[in-house]
Amino acid sequence: MTMSENLKRLTDAGVSIWLDDISRERLRTGNLATLIREKYVSGVTSNPTIFASALSKGDAYDAQIRDLAVRGVTVEEAVRAITTFDIRWAADVLRPVYDSTQGVDGRVSIEVDPRLARRTDATIAEARALWWLVDRPNLHVKIPATVEGLPAITQALSEGISVNVTLIFSLERYRQVMDAWLAGLEQAKANGLNLSGIESVASFFVSRVDTEIDARLDKIGTPEALELKGKAGVANARLAYAAFEEVVSSPRWQALRAAGAHPQRPLWASTGVKNPDYPDTLYVEQLVTAGVVNTMPEKTLDSAADHAKISGDTIRPFYQQAWDVMASLKQTGIDYDDVVRVLEEEGVQKFETSWNELLETVDAELRKA
């Protein structure tokens, strides 16, 4: 593996490259350290699906599972012990990146139990528990951007817990997320906390938008509809960045910045291309601008290293084009509000399903141990 010029150009353009994957095997073999050193990876995101996949492969978790079985812990406690062990280890591997970037990068994300996505108080309690359990300053606790998650985001930030807001699909909800973030920082400031140590990113999902809208365009079936396939995800994300620019130019944000706060960076999530007809680096090349994060599955990272064409800012010069795409989608009969509603419901459900699969996998392993 050699240093990738493509990934260097992406980093030089201001995009932080994070890996959307974690496993005990990746940690114990030194693979994560290699990716940091040779592929410009500066952060890690995880979710229940990723952990469910990691637990189902190899023997990396066997020793810990045997110990947990001997202790007779519950399945839920075992899952938390296993997942936080990996997150803590990854945070330590990334600590030099965290230190060299003054805490902006070098972050590792762990998700609250997705079964709590519609319960504000339980989400807050879970965020506190994870923050205490991992006990690393470069942790991000992932809280879903459900209506019920918004006050949990504010509360967690007000207590100094760094947050990765996940499952954002709609522009309206993204604005509500940014409002919750600002409110959290304002409360943290009132509480006397050091704002420079509280980090947040907002995970705006990309490929899932195309998957949902493309299916609806196929049903419409007109030439005009088919011409719009594969354009919604990027357009939606570009308009999210426009909304971000509005917020960080506001007096409300300027006051917090003067107090030492860092911006809540947009993070492009779901960047693995799901349609084989599209370029596999689509959501890398088309979402480049300074001050964003792109979290990639390793397959996408490798593709970007191999053949991504990075050519300057591909977001800010294309706002009008993005508005035009969204207007054309509406004219074609795409109900944007219904699309994002479906995506949020599906997103929560998918993570809940994966969490239940993780519980079942660990339960089976505990019984075998």
Side-chain angles (χ1 to χ4, degrees), residues 14 42 46-47 56 70 108-109 129 143 217 224 245 271 308 329 345:
S42 61
S46 70
N47 61 47
S56 68
V70 168
V108 185
S109 297
I143 297 176
L217 291 169
E224 293 81 7
E245 284 200 308
T271 56
L329 287 166
E345 290 177 358

Side-chain angles (χ1 to χ4, degrees), residues 3 11 15 72 76 79 114 146 149 175 177 180 209-210 215 241 257 275 292 298 303 306 308 313 342:
M3 298 283 275
T11 301
V15 178
E76 281 82 0
V79 166
T146 56
R175 289 184 180 277
V177 165
V209 174
D210 273 337
Y241 192 82
R257 187 176 73 167
N275 188 329
V292 299
E298 189 168 20
S303 295
D306 181 65
D313 192 324
V342 167

Side-chain angles (χ1 to χ4, degrees), residues 107-340:
R107 295 272 169 175
V108 185
S109 297
I110 187 170
E111 188 132 5
V112 298
D113 184 337
R115 297 173 298 180
L116 309 177
R118 306 293 181 186
R119 297 168 54 198
T120 301
D121 289 346
T123 295
I124 293 168
E126 177 88 347
R128 289 172 180 147
L130 288 171
W131 188 252
W132 172 84
L133 192 57
V134 175
D135 193 27
R136 295 293 187 272
N138 50 332
L139 177 70
H140 268 145
V141 176
K142 291 179 80 173
I143 297 176
T146 56
V147 169
E148 298 84 356
L150 294 172
I153 293 160
T154 295
Q155 185 61 36
L157 290 166
S158 77
E159 298 178 15
I161 298 171
S162 293
V163 174
N164 176 344
V165 185
T166 189
L167 289 177
I168 308 173
F169 299 97
S170 85
L171 296 170
E172 178 184 2
R173 183 58 53 80
Y174 179 42
R175 289 184 180 277
Q176 293 170 343
V177 165
M178 289 190 285
D179 185 70
W181 158 65
L182 292 170
L185 289 183
E186 287 163 348
Q187 291 178 27
K189 181 182 176 185
N191 292 339
L193 299 183
N194 177 6
L195 299 188
S196 67
I198 306 172
E199 284 294 326
S200 186
V201 292
S203 293
F204 204 87
F205 280 53
V206 187
S207 68
R208 292 193 196 181
V209 174
D210 273 337
T211 300
E212 178 65 25
I213 289 182
D214 282 2
R216 298 184 183 212
L217 291 169
D218 279 333
K219 285 183 180 178
I220 294 168
T222 64
E224 293 81 7
L226 299 178
E227 182 63 28
L228 290 167
K229 288 182 64 176
K231 296 181 179 179
V234 167
N236 199 40
R238 285 171 172 169
L239 294 179
Y241 192 82
F244 165 77
E245 284 200 308
E246 285 180 32
V247 169
V248 295
S249 64
S250 69
R252 188 181 180 192
W253 163 245
Q254 296 302 327
L256 288 165
R257 187 176 73 167
H262 295 157
Q264 181 190 60
R265 291 182 295 170
L267 179 151
W268 311 129
S270 179
T271 56
V273 175
K274 295 176 172 59
N275 188 329
D277 293 336
Y278 302 156
D280 58 1
T281 55
L282 175 66
Y283 305 124
V284 177
E285 297 173 353
Q286 295 299 308
L287 293 172
V288 176
T289 198
V292 299
V293 180
N294 193 315
T295 187
M296 311 176 196
E298 189 168 20
K299 184 178 178 182
T300 303
L301 177 70
D302 290 343
S303 295
D306 181 65
H307 54 261
K309 296 177 175 59
I310 308 302
S311 54
D313 192 324
T314 55
I315 292 180
R316 298 170 75 245
F318 299 100
Y319 288 156
Q320 187 56 54
Q321 184 184 98
W323 281 118
D324 291 345
V325 167
M326 301 309 277
S328 296
L329 287 166
K330 184 176 182 179
Q331 290 168 4
T332 306
I334 297 298
D335 184 342
Y336 177 83
D337 291 340
D338 185 66
V339 167
V340 295

